[in-house]
Amino acid sequence: MSTDVEHSEEDRPRIPVALSSASVYPLSVHDAFSVAQDLGYDGVEVMVTNNATSQNPDALIQLSHRYDQQIVSIHAPTLLLTQQVWGPAWNKIEMSCQMAREVGCNTVVVHPPFRWQSNYAENFAAGVREIAAMYQVHIAVENMYPWRVRGREALAYLPHWDPMGQDYDDVTWDFSHAATAGANSLEAIRALGSKLRHVHLTDGSGSGKDEHLIPGYGTQHCAEALQYLASNGFEGTVVAEISTRKAKAAGEREEWLAETLRFARQHLGAPLVGAFEI
């Protein structure tokens, strides 16, 4: 991603907007593909979980064809709740990369190691780079946030929850995690430059909780950040990853996801304005 050349609106390639399967939780991966098609998303990011379909490349390819939705990325099972999926940490990464190749995408999202995974964490950046080269994919390490216990920060991740300054080739930026960490997403995206491979579009209020709000409902300057990406040759994918678990009324989940898609398309197609000009 260039940081100094502004492209004209006519010359800019269209940045795809995909839907994370996490955005329909507790519904299934099948539902994610269906909703993505209904609302007009450009594809789906599959989060690998305990759900059998999320772990099965053949089943995912069938869903991709059935709903005419490209699989844009695989989110490796590196969350705290998926520690039992696909065994040891490096195996999780390799199996995710292998599945990415099988389903036809080239981006794998991973979280940084937990502190107690000391052997894995010690050579994490080098190991990620080696596996990415082996499978010819981009392994994009996601920004996380500090855990706080009784008001004090607990060191939960190694080498750090913040990818800024780490030796990663590719990064995923999540707006909700940034809000939880007290970070400024617009500044971070500008600083990451060409290392930014992938974006999880959501928002957060800075309450200390990982909220995954609809973009524009929090503090993270989501509109300006998308405008910046659109004007600076971003070559990755923007993936909607909002929480819809509290959706109650019929169609409410779809309304929230449709609003997120409209927000993304509007601001990815808009020029930079005011104080956020380059």
Side-chain angles (χ1 to χ4, degrees):
M1 184 177 68
S2 168
T3 56
D4 55 3
V5 178
E6 184 170 343
H7 299 268
S8 70
E9 192 166 348
E10 293 79 10
D11 294 338
R12 292 201 302 256
R14 184 173 181 268
I15 297 172
V17 183
L19 177 65
S20 168
S21 61
S23 290
V24 302
Y25 180 84
L27 301 183
S28 69
V29 178
H30 189 153
D31 292 301
F33 280 90
S34 176
V35 169
Q37 182 193 54
D38 287 345
L39 298 180
Y41 277 87
D42 297 314
V44 172
E45 173 173 302
V46 175
M47 179 175 282
V48 179
T49 66
N50 295 293
N51 177 275
T53 301
S54 74
Q55 303 175 27
N56 186 329
D58 291 334
L60 294 176
I61 290 169
Q62 289 179 10
L63 288 172
S64 176
H65 290 162
R66 176 177 177 180
Y67 292 102
D68 194 26
Q69 287 291 307
Q70 179 183 1
I71 299 172
V72 301
S73 47
I74 299 295
H75 194 309
T78 49
L79 286 71
L80 188 62
L81 295 176
T82 56
Q83 289 301 290
Q84 302 307 311
V85 177
W86 287 353
W90 285 123
N91 194 60
K92 296 175 188 291
I93 305 298
E94 284 211 48
M95 290 189 69
S96 298
C97 291
Q98 181 177 334
M99 188 159 76
R101 292 302 304 267
E102 291 181 24
V103 302
C105 69
N106 68 354
T107 300
V108 173
V109 178
V110 303
H111 288 185
F114 293 110
R115 190 172 185 82
W116 56 84
Q117 296 173 304
S118 54
N119 292 334
Y120 171 53
E122 184 177 352
N123 299 303
F124 180 65
V128 161
R129 183 174 290 110
E130 180 180 343
I131 294 173
M134 183 187 310
Y135 287 92
Q136 292 296 291
V137 299
H138 298 279
I139 300 178
V141 183
E142 187 169 357
N143 63 308
M144 296 304 293
Y145 47 83
W147 291 8
R148 295 183 175 89
V149 179
R150 297 176 183 174
R152 293 187 176 184
E153 182 175 330
L155 299 177
Y157 296 101
L158 282 176
H160 205 275
W161 52 263
D162 187 354
M164 304 294 289
Q166 301 298 323
D167 189 23
Y168 303 140
D169 291 335
D170 297 289
V171 169
T172 295
W173 192 260
D174 184 299
F175 289 87
S176 178
H177 296 173
T180 306
N184 182 308
S185 286
L186 181 60
E187 291 180 1
I189 285 171
R190 295 174 80 162
L192 282 167
S194 61
K195 285 191 173 187
L196 183 64
R197 166 61 45 183
H198 205 64
V199 171
H200 281 167
L201 178 60
T202 178
D203 212 336
S205 69
S207 68
K209 298 179 181 179
D210 186 17
E211 299 167 297
H212 284 271
L213 303 177
I214 297 170
Y217 286 65
T219 62
Q220 286 300 300
H221 300 298
C222 296
E224 293 85 356
L226 293 182
Q227 292 168 15
Y228 179 82
L229 291 176
S231 297
N232 282 269
F234 178 62
E235 297 179 351
T237 302
V238 171
V239 176
E241 194 183 77
I242 69 168
S243 174
T244 62
R245 286 176 293 178
K246 295 182 179 180
K248 296 178 181 179
E252 190 170 28
R253 174 178 286 105
E254 288 76 9
E255 290 175 5
W256 295 353
L257 293 172
E259 181 177 352
T260 301
L261 179 59
R262 286 194 300 271
F263 183 97
R265 292 258 170 83
Q266 174 188 351
H267 294 293
L268 287 172
L272 288 164
V273 294
F276 298 97
E277 290 180 355
I278 302 168

